Amino acid sequence: MLRFIVKRIGLSVLTLVIVSLIVFLMTSIMPGDIAKQILGRDATPEAFEIWNKEKGFDKPLVVQYGRWMGGVLTGDLGTSLQYEMPVSEILAPAASKSAQLAIVALLLIAPISILGGIAAAMNRGKKVDRALTVGGLSAAVIPEFVWAVVLILVFGVAIRAFPVSAFPDEENPNLVSSVYHLILPSIALLFVLFGYISRITRAGVIEALDSDYMRTAVLKGLSRKTAVFKHVLRNALLPTIAVIATQVPYLAGGLIAIERVFNYPGFGNILLDAVIARDFPLLQTAVFLTGVVIIVFQLIADILFAVLNPRIRQKVTE
Amino acid sequence: MTTTPTLELRNLEVAYTVRGIDRQVLRGVSFSIAPGEAYGLVGESGCGKSTAAFAAMRYLPRNGKITKGSILFEGKDIVDINDDEVAKLRRSAISMVYQNPATALNPTIRVGKQIAEVFELNGVSSSDAMMMAEQALTKVQIADPARVLRRYAHQLSGGMAQRVVIAMALASNPRLLVMDEPTTGLDATVEAEVLDLVRELRRDTGTAVLFISHNLGVIRNMCDRVGVLYAGALVEQGATSELFSSPSHPYTVGLLRCIPRGGLHKSTDRLDTIPGTPPALGTNFDGCVFAARCSLADDKCRTALPEMVTIIGSHVARCFHSDKAGSMPRSIEQIEYAPQSTGHKAQVGDTLLNISHLSKVFNQDGSKVRVINDVSLTLGFGETLGLVGESGSGKTTIAKLVLGLTPPEEGGVVTLDGKGLAKTLSHRDVADVGAMQIVFQNPDQALNRRHSVTRIVSRAVERLRKFSLTAAIARAQELLSGMRVDASLHSVRPVQLSGGLKQRVAIARAFAGAPQIVVCDEPTSALDVSVQAAILNLLVDLQKKDQTSFIFISHDLGVVRYISDKIAVLYLGRVVEFGTSQRVFSGPFHPYTEALLSSVPNIDGSTRKRIPLTGVVPSPSNPPSGCVLNPRCPRKAGSGYETLCETEEPNLTEVEPGHFMRCHVPVAKLKQLQN
Ligand SMILES: Nc1ncnc2c1ncn2[C@@H]1O[C@H](COP(=O)(O)OP(=O)(O)OP(=O)(O)O)[C@@H](O)[C@H]1O
Ligand code: SF4
Ligand code: SF4
Ligand SMILES: [Mg+2]
């Protein structure tokens, strides 16, 4: 098991190195001259040169990459060109905001989608199943920001049940208020992810329902309900857990549209700003960190899956 | 006055709804099982055996329903009882064991907990339940039950898993045990052990058993009475020995004649087949269900339903002409097959294939495992070499080495007709590739499902014989017709064919390159006995016309004995015995062969003493020292060679002309021990 984990971590690190290279190269060749924007159109060529030198943009790319990575590893994430502030000071609060949104959304989405999937599987082919399937799929084809706007118009403006902004106005909002503000965006995300997660759950549950061991359980004399509870769910939810874990980075790593619509100062908002401002120290690091989140959660998903499944667990222990 | 039967089916009719239409599966099935009795149900695939079993458990698929009749358990009709009552019955009175023990257990729950669950259902506390689970495992004679309790299903061998399932089934002290193909898919030696166990448990507990198998030998050895199902109708029933010795329904007679029984050999006996195929699900009959395939059928059979008639005592058959069934004419099928034009000039028996010192080492989980160890064999023109041995003994790997699908280790040589072959397929020229072909167990996986049948064969002809497209198609059609694949089926895709027809297509393809050797890896294991007989006949005919040689792998020793001229018995990647079919099957035997042969349930009812192999097959990654068989050998103890057996590996030596054995005990002594 340990060997498996070490191997997986090694692979993840390798992936991260590749990601960092790609991110770095992409932001370096991004069109538009940041210096022009910051120094103004009328600045002299000398001024540009001095500025570039000061920021180190005249050095070869390899050196720039080395400096950036060195910084990331030692905790120095560089300085934003746009705000003239350490990147870490900009990203930290945003990341915490994004994490809050992700957690609330996940706590809403995971149980509802899983229950939906189980309900569909247990009523396979019946009306409930069809309604859940069709409903889930149709909801998913509509982009999250459209849902966001619809939800705001209905619950924020017309009914006034929820605030239109995801971010409390108060100075020091308490937990209840923060969560309350995050419910509407979470529902928008639920609409997008429900179809997907419940489909996966449904497939897993149906496979387990049709399995020989389920037949054994029923023929032992367990009631169908108990048999489902004891024998089906554990096996059926394995793939679902992995799927949900892979959705976490999507939730945590910058829901640009949702954050915009709900006026929420999360990671996505910062990212968008950085692109528009060609603020590449900030952009590089923000995109790279998103990559880190994705890879770490994929890793967690894999390890979780292996721990929960004795067959894989044994294979990897041998 | 008789006792109330444990289970009684009265005129049971079951239908499956397919695409909105009810299709009848069981047609008025009636039989009863007395307490303590074992009742066997036989018949070809799809005749409704499992449906009857699941109906008795009140566990039909979602689209299945009982349309008529009753199922009485200890006199009480259970057709209409509600789900709670059904669950109660299953908890306390009826249990079931079925095929594929590995998947019958939940993969993520320890087996101990799964067994304990049954006790808990009956109100036992969970700590007591675990203790009782251990006792249950002890009862099914599992070694080290305390440790097995803590394992997961995938950590058990097939035989162990089936013991666990049986332990679970017996945990509720059932009065009826339904067993649906409980040993299908297990090795002969493991099957024999499981059957021994069931017999013993039955003796101890007096449980009534409904035993289902397509294997007539198993039924013969396990059951007191037998019912024969065809197309969902019970066509014959009687006491086992009476029914097997004087079958009185043409279907039963046909089934028994299909089987390559002990002693039959291709050189003297042709197998009977049952022409045609079983009717499709939901077919309606005006007359006898078997009329379309029966050689005795007349107009009356086709228009009137035969009633059960008494043959003698409780032996009954549903046939108008049961008196003539036993002597009904044999069905003769001949092939029309144009011999290959390559014209081998050799005599039958001249050496064609010579493999010497083949070894194969695989990397398994970082360590090197020698799965084939120094195998040398020869095969003559027009001969069949049978490879037998338990699963994992290396049969398929040897076939792959010969075919060049995987290269042997340094020093291994394959010589075909005097010419050394390259180690891998990609280094062999087209002629060498075409000269050796393979037919697999599962034609589904072997045939390209997107191509028509003709295309599948003609591609091989094109590639291996360099024929032009039109010539290749013509040859393909000739081959297919020769294999008795009707011309109307030449343009269909494999999915539309039955298993037997698919296998014929696969054989036609193997013969496309005018092969000298065809490797047949369990070619009939997935087929019904009647289809198996037809395929075996086909192979024998092809061999006679073309002098083709076969390497024939099968776990069914009856089949191997029938078709082979030479036999190699494998154990742990080593040839332990090699010789003519006649010699290997009549003895003196290598101790392993002896045990293997004695584990086969005999269809003629003769009882012979089973020579058990104790313990499990050791892993090839850690073979025992000395003779690899020694920890399990039935003849080691008392032979006087014990020390040698445990320290030194014996060589394969010629003990009689043309008969080789790998054993320290001299053949004369073995012969003496075996008499
Ligand atoms: N759920 C189902 N829906 C429709 N048809 C079915 C269903 N289950 C079985 N059948 C069909 O009913 C017939 C009887 O099937 P059953 O499984 O009882 O046969 P069997 O004798 O047990 O065969 P085998 O030897 O292959 O196990 C077959 O034609 C089969 O294809
Ligand atoms: S009744 Fe007629 S068709 Fe049916 S099995 Fe007897 S002889 Fe054959
Ligand atoms: S050498 Fe000894 S252990 Fe091996 S088969 Fe012969 S008697 Fe048995
Ligand atoms: Mg069946």
Side-chain angles (χ1 to χ4, degrees):
Chain A
M1 190 72 195
L2 200 67
R3 237 178 73 194
F4 164 76
I5 294 177
V6 169
K7 218 161 114 189
R8 274 305 273 107
I9 291 179
L11 264 176
S12 303
V13 170
L14 186 72
T15 322
L16 275 177
V17 171
I18 294 169
V19 168
S20 74
L21 274 169
I22 294 173
V23 168
F24 178 80
L25 287 176
M26 269 179 16
T27 43
S28 303
I29 59 170
M30 216 165 64
D33 196 337
I34 174 108
K36 223 172 238 161
Q37 278 184 24
I38 292 186
L39 299 180
R41 266 171 209 290
D42 309 330
T44 59
E46 288 78 32
F48 282 130
E49 220 162 274
I50 294 168
W51 188 86
N52 271 337
K53 217 178 198 125
E54 197 179 292
K55 302 284 174 201
F57 294 148
D58 58 335
K59 300 259 164 47
L61 281 180
V62 188
V63 176
Q64 288 189 41
Y65 175 75
R67 257 196 5 198
W68 174 54
M69 267 291 104
V72 169
L73 290 178
T74 52
D76 169 15
L77 302 183
T79 309
S80 155
L81 300 176
Q82 174 190 191
Y83 303 105
E84 299 276 346
M85 255 166 83
V87 167
S88 54
E89 270 174 43
I90 301 168
L91 287 183
S96 130
K97 286 276 157 344
S98 284
Q100 286 168 29
L101 173 58
I103 289 169
V104 173
L106 203 62
L107 288 178
L108 185 81
I109 294 170
I112 292 181
S113 309
I114 289 177
L115 285 178
I118 295 173
M122 302 280 296
N123 295 291
R124 175 181 359 169
K126 296 198 195 133
K127 281 203 189 93
V128 181
D129 179 22
R130 255 172 281 155
L132 284 167
T133 305
V134 174
L137 283 179
S138 353
V141 295
I142 299 171
E144 66 255 43
F145 60 89
V146 177
W147 277 122
V149 171
V150 172
L151 287 169
I152 287 179
L153 289 178
V154 176
F155 293 101
V157 178
I159 308 182
R160 291 181 177 277
F162 290 97
V164 296
S165 160
F167 192 55
D169 285 335
E170 308 119 65
E171 267 299 299
N172 275 315
N174 62 13
L175 185 67
V176 176
S177 161
S178 300
V179 171
Y180 180 58
H181 278 80
L182 288 175
I183 287 192
L184 225 41
S186 298
I187 292 177
L189 291 169
L190 170 69
F191 283 154
V192 176
L193 288 181
F194 176 84
Y196 182 54
I197 297 179
S198 66
R199 282 307 281 180
I200 303 273
T201 313
R202 178 182 180 276
V205 173
I206 284 183
E207 198 191 315
L209 281 175
D210 288 347
S211 68
D212 282 0
Y213 59 79
M214 174 64 183
R215 176 169 67 178
T216 308
V218 170
L219 291 182
K220 268 192 220 173
L222 268 73
S223 71
R224 199 175 138 79
K225 237 184 7 224
T226 328
V228 167
F229 200 71
K230 285 195 173 165
H231 289 268
V232 166
L233 291 189
R234 186 183 164 111
N235 293 292
L237 296 187
L238 273 175
T240 316
I241 289 169
V243 165
I244 292 178
T246 58
Q247 292 305 307
V248 168
Y250 157 73
L251 291 173
L255 295 158
I256 298 177
I258 288 275
E259 290 180 4
R260 273 283 138 126
V261 176
F262 286 97
N263 199 9
Y264 189 69
F267 222 85
N269 250 332
I270 302 275
L271 231 116
L272 195 59
D273 284 345
V275 174
I276 293 167
R278 308 279 188 282
D279 184 349
F280 36 116
L282 180 60
L283 185 62
Q284 269 170 8
T285 307
V287 174
F288 179 64
L289 288 182
T290 313
V292 173
V293 173
I294 292 179
I295 287 163
V296 166
F297 273 93
Q298 189 62 55
L299 181 67
I300 293 175
D302 285 358
I303 293 177
L304 216 61
F305 197 70
V307 170
L308 288 175
N309 189 335
R311 190 164 327 170
I312 296 183
R313 186 164 69 216
Q314 197 205 9
K315 224 179 253 157
V316 300
T317 341
E318 271 168 1
Chain B
M1 185 59 220
T2 49
T3 48
T4 318
T6 305
L7 178 74
E8 184 177 358
L9 266 52
R10 270 193 207 153
N11 241 325
L12 189 69
E13 306 210 334
V14 171
Y16 289 125
T17 314
V18 180
R19 282 189 291 277
I21 302 172
D22 281 0
R23 295 165 207 257
Q24 197 174 358
V25 197
L26 293 186
R27 302 164 198 277
V29 172
S30 303
F31 63 81
S32 68
I33 309 176
E37 188 184 34
Y39 185 92
L41 217 45
V42 293
E44 287 173 287
S45 178
C47 64
K49 305 182 297 290
S50 299
T51 304
F54 283 118
M57 295 295 299
R58 280 287 319 273
Y59 188 82
L60 284 173
R62 284 144 34 94
N63 62 338
K65 60 171 181 255
I66 294 168
T67 50
K68 222 174 115 187
S70 44
I71 303 168
L72 305 173
F73 181 72
E74 295 178 342
K76 182 172 175 284
D77 195 338
I78 58 169
V79 167
D80 290 318
I81 61 175
N82 66 29
D83 289 354
D84 286 344
E85 287 172 283
V86 171
K88 186 158 165 256
L89 215 53
R90 293 178 187 147
R91 271 203 296 275
S92 57
I94 313 181
S95 293
M96 184 160 183
V97 171
Y98 39 79
Q99 203 181 336
N100 255 337
T103 56
L105 295 168
N106 192 322
T108 57
I109 301 178
R110 292 177 200 278
V111 296
K113 205 167 156 220
Q114 293 187 57
I115 303 172
E117 198 172 22
V118 182
F119 295 110
E120 284 172 39
L121 273 174
N122 286 307
V124 177
S125 78
S126 60
S127 55
D128 286 355
M130 201 46 95
M131 246 176 50
M132 290 165 85
E134 192 174 335
Q135 285 163 8
L137 283 183
T138 314
K139 207 158 96 182
V140 294
Q141 300 161 15
I142 271 188
D144 205 354
R147 275 188 55 201
V148 173
L149 282 181
R150 302 195 40 76
R151 301 229 188 127
Y152 290 100
H154 68 274
Q155 295 166 320
L156 306 175
S157 67
M160 270 163 98
Q162 195 58 298
R163 278 166 202 266
V164 170
V165 173
I166 292 174
M168 206 151 73
L170 293 178
S172 56
N173 277 322
R175 305 195 285 286
L176 173 66
L177 183 59
V178 179
M179 307 191 97
D180 188 359
E181 308 268 5
T183 58
T184 307
L186 300 178
D187 267 323
T189 50
V190 182
E191 168 173 79
E193 280 171 33
V194 171
L195 293 179
D196 278 354
L197 173 71
V198 172
R199 234 184 318 244
E200 263 174 58
L201 292 170
R202 222 162 64 72
R203 209 179 43 223
D204 298 347
T205 58
T207 308
V209 175
L210 171 57
F211 196 103
I212 293 175
S213 178
H214 69 280
N215 184 330
L216 294 151
V218 170
I219 291 281
R220 164 125 224 198
N221 281 268
M222 294 302 293
C223 301
D224 306 314
R225 280 193 307 135
V226 192
V228 182
L229 268 185
Y230 181 76
L234 199 67
V235 296
E236 184 164 5
Q237 172 176 276
T240 309
S241 54
E242 154 71 18
L243 186 139
F244 274 76
S245 59
S246 49
S248 302
H249 189 281
Y251 180 57
T252 318
V253 173
L255 274 184
L256 284 165
R257 284 188 188 168
C258 290
I259 296 166
R261 252 159 318 206
L264 292 192
H265 192 263
K266 63 174 177 190
S267 55
T268 47
D269 313 274
R270 199 176 167 76
L271 296 174
D272 245 28
T273 59
I274 305 176
T277 50
L281 182 65
T283 309
N284 288 318
F285 298 94
D286 296 324
C288 171
V289 289
F290 190 56
R293 300 174 75 187
C294 181
S295 57
L296 296 179
D298 54 21
D299 285 345
K300 185 177 171 199
C301 301
R302 280 182 274 267
T303 48
L305 284 168
E307 290 295 318
M308 276 290 191
V309 294
T310 301
I311 310 297
I312 181 172
S314 65
H315 184 186
V316 291
R318 195 183 288 282
C319 174
F320 292 125
H321 307 296
S322 54
D323 52 328
K324 291 194 225 102
S327 56
M328 88 187 177
R330 301 196 150 260
S331 73
I332 310 288
E333 295 183 318
Q334 283 293 352
I335 60 165
E336 292 156 31
Y337 174 77
Q340 310 275 4
S341 50
T342 51
H344 314 136
K345 299 241 165 48
Q347 293 286 311
V348 168
D350 283 359
T351 300
L352 168 63
L353 176 78
N354 192 8
I355 63 183
S356 66
H357 305 295
L358 287 193
S359 292
K360 183 69 195 173
V361 176
F362 282 122
N363 263 323
Q364 281 175 3
D365 305 310
S367 59
K368 294 206 180 304
V369 181
R370 183 165 285 258
V371 293
I372 298 296
N373 198 348
D374 196 20
V375 166
S376 301
L377 294 167
T378 57
L379 173 62
F381 280 94
E383 280 187 348
T384 303
L385 167 65
L387 296 183
V388 298
E390 286 165 288
S391 81
S393 59
K395 304 183 291 288
T396 300
T397 310
I398 291 183
K400 284 185 177 163
L401 290 172
V402 172
L403 288 163
L405 297 175
T406 180
E409 304 304 317
E410 209 51 52
V413 184
V414 177
T415 320
L416 182 71
D417 208 358
K419 174 184 172 209
L421 294 181
K423 286 191 168 183
T424 57
L425 208 54
S426 51
H427 291 102
R428 294 188 184 171
D429 59 37
V430 176
D432 290 344
V433 173
M436 275 198 247
Q437 290 290 306
I438 183 162
V439 175
F440 295 99
Q441 170 171 2
N442 198 337
D444 278 331
Q445 284 155 23
L447 301 177
N448 186 331
R449 68 192 77 195
R450 280 172 306 151
H451 288 161
S452 74
V453 164
T454 308
R455 188 82 197 103
I456 288 171
V457 180
S458 70
R459 272 166 61 108
V461 178
E462 265 180 273
R463 187 168 50 86
L464 296 172
R465 303 204 47 192
K466 305 281 179 241
F467 277 28
S468 71
L469 181 64
T470 37
I473 288 174
R475 178 63 187 155
Q477 283 168 350
E478 202 176 292
L479 278 166
L480 285 165
S481 301
M483 311 292 158
R484 297 189 56 239
V485 178
D486 195 80
S488 64
L489 297 173
H490 288 187
S491 55
V492 306
R493 275 159 230 283
V495 275
Q496 289 162 267
L497 300 179
S498 68
L501 279 167
K502 278 185 222 162
Q503 201 58 295
R504 287 173 191 271
V505 173
I507 293 171
R509 185 181 58 180
F511 275 82
Q516 290 178 285
I517 297 179
V518 175
V519 176
C520 304
D521 191 350
E522 303 268 10
T524 60
S525 304
L527 306 175
D528 272 318
V529 282
S530 61
V531 185
Q532 165 174 292
I535 296 284
L536 293 178
N537 284 344
L538 172 66
L539 290 174
V540 171
D541 288 346
L542 288 169
Q543 180 160 57
K544 282 191 187 136
K545 299 219 173 181
D546 265 352
Q547 276 192 28
T548 314
S549 304
F550 293 125
I551 296 179
F552 198 97
I553 300 174
S554 176
H555 68 278
D556 185 329
L557 294 175
V559 170
V560 176
R561 176 175 195 172
Y562 174 77
I563 201 159
S564 303
D565 303 287
K566 295 223 176 94
I567 308 270
V569 184
L570 298 169
Y571 184 73
L572 228 56
R574 291 150 175 87
V575 176
V576 296
E577 182 168 2
F578 176 55
T580 59
S581 186
Q582 162 69 15
R583 275 265 171 259
V584 172
F585 278 100
S586 59
F589 312 102
H590 184 277
Y592 177 67
T593 313
E594 186 188 9
L596 207 58
L597 288 176
S598 77
S599 64
V600 180
N602 222 340
I603 195 156
D604 55 27
S606 62
T607 44
R608 55 170 137 55
K609 198 163 156 284
R610 195 161 83 72
I611 314 289
L613 280 176
T614 45
V616 294
V617 185
S619 153
S621 64
N622 186 21
S625 62
C627 172
V628 285
L629 187 64
N630 93 72
R632 303 176 75 198
C633 182
R635 293 291 177 205
K636 180 181 78 171
S639 67
Y641 291 83
E642 291 89 339
T643 341
L644 208 54
C645 292
E646 279 156 28
T647 51
E648 210 172 293
E649 176 147 24
N651 289 320
L652 192 66
T653 43
E654 189 159 10
V655 293
E656 299 172 295
H659 189 190
F660 299 80
M661 260 188 220
R662 198 186 277 276
C663 181
H664 289 305
V665 181
V667 70
K669 173 102 188 176
L670 282 175
K671 196 167 183 171
Q672 184 198 332
L673 288 170
Q674 284 159 355
N675 278 326

